[in-house]
Amino acid sequence: MKNNNKPPFETTTLWDYPTQNYGNRPHGDNKYRGVTPAFVIWNLIQRYTKEGDLVVDPMCGSGTTIDVCKEEKRRVLGFDIVPYRKDIKQADARRLPLNDEIADFVFIDSPYSDNIRYNDHPDNIGNVSCENPRFFEELDKVVKEAHRILKKGKHIAWLIGDQAKKKKFVPVGFKMYSILEKYFKPVDIVCVARHNQTSNTPIWHQRAKKCNFYLRGFKYLIIMQKIK
Ligand SMILES: C[S@@+](CC[C@H](N)C(=O)[O-])C[C@H]1O[C@@H](n2cnc3c(N)ncnc32)[C@H](O)[C@@H]1O
């Protein structure tokens, strides 16, 4: 950790963090299942935004994006279908209460299947399995809405993982990449190492060996730019 507990500035496409948080203050809630590593958001806003820029997170969860952005003097708006705290506004990521082309950066760490029960709201996309084509149809609407609110020339970053369940593999990251590519110009893909997930236990490693499958070791961070 360098510069007053700030994370290291990443220069490669492999990001591996030992913990969810950095520094002495919380960024989001590391008890929230599916919380984003705060390091990821910190690094993205260093590269793609400057002080005073507006960052939007349409699926804000426990508010990691809000905390990191405020500390780094970015303006920020966080939405979620079920807000976890008062500074998160209730909205559906497919229909944001925002004008066209107002955001300087959009960050989304979306559900990547129905593996985590975030809430029982009927519009929670995380209640739809990635094995159901509807899952990607709904995320397509989220991408379209993010494209609408983003200014031309600005960037979006999307964090997502694959699913391997009961011998069925769904390449969720690749599917998401091809949806994003319909609207945006690809910039890069970063591999974010996963830690502390519930399957990182001896029994799961034993099962992976015995039943010949791999446990998920990383997530994709897909970075794209709005050209038109
Ligand atoms: C992986 S979590 C986000 C984690 C967050 N970045 C954090 O650090 O805490 C995904 C979030 O998407 C939200 N979500 C699911 N469907 C939604 C929708 N239609 N509109 C807005 N948010 C939605 C869930 O409620 C959940 O909080």
Side-chain angles (χ1 to χ4, degrees), residues 20 28-29 32-37 41 57-65 79-82 91-94 107 109-111 118-119 123-126 142 219:
Q20 184 269 336
D29 181 351
Y32 190 81
R33 282 197 67 201
V35 65
T36 308
I41 299 162
D57 185 337
M59 298 180 132
C60 193
S62 67
T64 311
T65 305
F79 301 92
D80 202 281
I81 202 71
V82 176
D92 190 317
R94 293 162 287 194
F107 175 74
D109 178 357
S110 71
Y118 296 106
N119 53 68
D123 297 326
N124 173 14
I125 298 170
V142 178
K219 286 193 182 189

Side-chain angles (χ1 to χ4, degrees), residues 183-197:
Y183 301 88
F184 297 99
K185 178 185 147 204
V187 171
D188 217 325
I189 299 182
V190 171
C191 170
V192 180
R194 293 181 61 179
H195 293 282
N196 306 320
Q197 69 264 43

